[in-house]
Amino acid sequence: MAARGNLDDALTPPTGGAVMEPAAVSAMLDEHARLRSLLRNAVAARSAPDNDYWVGIGLDEVVVDAESPEAVMTAIERRGMAGGTVVMEFVSSVPQVFVL
């Protein structure tokens, strides 16, 4: 995504809608952070995966996993939770190792 020089342009939807209020942006970021934290905790609580997969969470806080991002979104949409914030992550069966 290219950076925009004008903050008003960045906060205006591409369809030319109204500028979002800072409080609305802050609430959206807080909701994303909350769901991201729940998703990370859910992934960490699982045993090491045998295969790579995608995992996602919607506003209902139910964690869904599938083989593709599209399949995760389909499962979330079936639950009626795709209208709000959805957070997804790719989980690899090959753990990352950092040597310090």
Side-chain angles (χ1 to χ4, degrees), residues 54-96:
W54 285 86
V55 63
I57 189 169
L59 293 177
D60 62 351
E61 299 180 8
V62 174
V63 177
V64 176
D65 59 82
E67 293 181 5
S68 69
E70 294 82 10
V72 169
M73 280 306 298
T74 299
I76 290 173
E77 287 170 351
R78 279 192 214 127
R79 302 182 64 80
M81 295 292 126
T85 302
V86 173
V87 177
M88 272 193 267
E89 179 178 322
F90 179 73
V91 179
S92 175
S93 59
V94 180
Q96 293 182 352

Side-chain angles (χ1 to χ4, degrees), residues 24-62:
V25 174
S26 178
M28 289 170 61
L29 292 172
D30 289 345
E31 182 66 8
H32 182 272
R34 184 182 73 79
L35 290 174
R36 182 81 184 119
S37 176
L38 290 172
L39 185 63
R40 280 184 183 249
N41 291 341
V43 170
R46 295 179 177 195
S47 59
D50 293 329
N51 299 321
D52 296 346
Y53 66 95
W54 285 86
V55 63
I57 189 169
L59 293 177
D60 62 351
E61 299 180 8
V62 174

